[in-house]
């Protein structure tokens, strides 16, 4: 089972999973960490989440990109589907607390009336991705949806070039 990493309150250091420890030569661009934020219904399978992440990477023109993490709401991070999806991808699962979701929710670009009423954010997937990517994270792909899940991609630091 993969460890669940707690997201920090915005304004503090990014979650440990996203810290880069690789030395790089001057002038060599280091790829930014790419996080997939996931919202999902209880009956959603890991396969549906995996397919949606793959579709998100395809739509963002990064089909072979290496993800740094999956991120979701803290109260859903224990669900088997999201844990299995993170395990299949070989990435940590970042559990985002309510306050961090709401803080990052100020930067979402998609608004779902239902999710806003339930969670206090317009898009759980976008808020989770942005919170996990850190205070300088930017959306690479706004929320996309399948029947039972949503996915958004965010890059830490400077966003990938458009």
């Amino acid at each position: 089972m993969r460890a669940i990493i707690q997201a920090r309150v915005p304004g503090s250091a990014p979650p440990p999973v996203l810290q880069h420890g690789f030395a790089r030569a001057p002038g060599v661009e280091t790829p930014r960490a790419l996080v997939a934020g996931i919202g999902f219904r209880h009956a959603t399978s890991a396969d549906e989440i995996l397919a949606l992440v793959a579709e998100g990477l395809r739509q963002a023109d990064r089909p072979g990109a290496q993800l740094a993490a999956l991120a979701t709401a803290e109260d859903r991070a224990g669900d088997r589907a999201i844990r299995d999806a993170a395990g299949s991808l070989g990435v940590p699962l970042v559990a985002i607390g309510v306050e961090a979701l709401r803080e990052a929710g100020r930067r979402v670009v998609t608004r779902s009336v239902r999710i806003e009423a339930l969670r206090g954010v317009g898009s759980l997937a976008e808020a989770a991705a942005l919170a996990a990517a850190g205070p300088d994270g930017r959306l690479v792909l706004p929320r996309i949806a399948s029947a039972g899940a949503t996915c958004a991609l965010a890059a830490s630091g400077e966003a990938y070039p458009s």
Side-chain angles (χ1 to χ4, degrees):
M1 181 187 310
R2 291 257 166 224
I4 297 173
I5 299 171
Q6 296 284 52
R8 294 178 124 19
V9 176
S12 63
V17 69
L18 299 178
Q19 293 176 351
H20 299 284
F22 300 104
R24 64 182 173 131
V28 175
E29 187 66 27
T30 301
R32 304 292 182 227
L34 190 62
V35 178
I38 306 292
F40 61 101
R41 297 176 188 258
H42 285 289
T44 305
S45 69
D47 287 341
E48 184 175 347
I49 293 170
L50 290 168
L52 190 59
V53 169
E55 176 60 17
L57 291 169
R58 187 195 68 73
Q59 286 188 27
D61 199 25
R62 291 169 178 66
Q66 179 73 28
L67 289 177
L70 290 187
T72 196
E74 183 175 50
D75 65 328
R76 300 305 305 278
D79 286 21
R80 183 176 192 98
I82 193 74
R83 288 190 341 253
D84 288 352
S88 291
L89 291 167
V91 297
L93 177 57
V94 181
I96 308 295
V98 173
E99 291 303 315
L101 279 174
R102 290 190 178 149
E103 180 67 29
R106 297 177 185 165
R107 298 185 288 147
V108 304
V109 297
T110 306
R111 297 278 173 209
S112 164
V113 173
R114 185 178 77 80
I115 295 302
E116 199 144 28
L118 290 171
R119 298 275 184 179
V121 297
S123 168
L124 176 63
E126 290 177 12
L130 287 165
D136 294 327
R138 283 193 54 204
L139 283 176
V140 172
L141 179 75
R143 180 193 76 187
I144 61 170
S146 64
T150 57
C151 174
L153 301 175
S156 66
E158 296 174 23
Y160 285 90
S162 301

